[in-house]
Amino acid sequence: TTSSSSKGCKKRPFQRELSEQSTCHASAAAAGTGNATQTQGFTSSLVGLVDGKHTLRITALDDAIIRVSLERDQTVRISRTWMVAPGEADIPPEGRCKLSTLGFSMPPARAEFAENGETSLSTAFMKCTISSDPLRLQFHFRHPVETGKSASADDACTWQPLWADRDTGAYYMDA
C-alpha cells in the first residue's frame, strides 16, 4: 500500500512498473517470512508515492544506467531532455521525451523489498537502494572479488558504494 507521510515514504511504498503506460501491480508483503529480504522478481521500474504528492520512479535503462525521477502530482515539470540519447549522434534541438526508453537495452532488474523498509532495484552492475523516513537514495556498483577480473552477473562480486544521499535526508518537498 502507498500511504502518505510528512517525513518520507512509508514501509513498502514501491510498486513494480510493468510497462511504459504505468501499469502497476502492488508489491506483496514480506512480513512473516523470517527472511531479511523478500525478492519480488524482475521488473524494469519501481514506482513509489512519497509524502502523498510526489512520485519517485526508479528505472533500469541499461546495466550501468539507472534513471531516478521525482515527480510532483505525477507531473514531469520539464518534459524534454538533452542528456543521454543512446544510438543517436546528437540530440535534436527540441530534445527528446524525458521518460523515453527508446534506444536503451531495458535489462531485467531485480526488485527487492527488505523487512527494514528499504527497497532496491539492481541490474547486473548497478544497484539503487531507497530508504524511507527520511527519503534517501544509495547507489552501488558490482565489484569483482578478485582484482584484475571484470565483473559479470555470474561472477562472485560484492556491491561497492558509488554515492549516497546524506543520512538525514536530501530532499525537501514542501516547497
Side-chain angles (χ1 to χ4, degrees), residues 31 45 51 54 97 152 171:
S45 293
D51 78 0
H54 295 83
C97 177
S152 82
Y171 307 94

Side-chain angles (χ1 to χ4, degrees), residues 38-75:
Q38 171 88 20
T39 301
Q40 299 298 312
F42 291 92
T43 184
S44 62
S45 293
L46 290 174
V47 179
L49 188 63
V50 181
D51 78 0
K53 296 181 198 170
H54 295 83
T55 302
L56 181 64
R57 186 180 313 270
I58 312 290
T59 307
L61 298 173
D62 197 288
D63 278 328
I65 301 174
I66 296 177
R67 176 173 49 209
V68 177
S69 174
L70 186 61
E71 305 160 6
R72 185 178 189 152
D73 298 322
Q74 297 184 348
T75 303

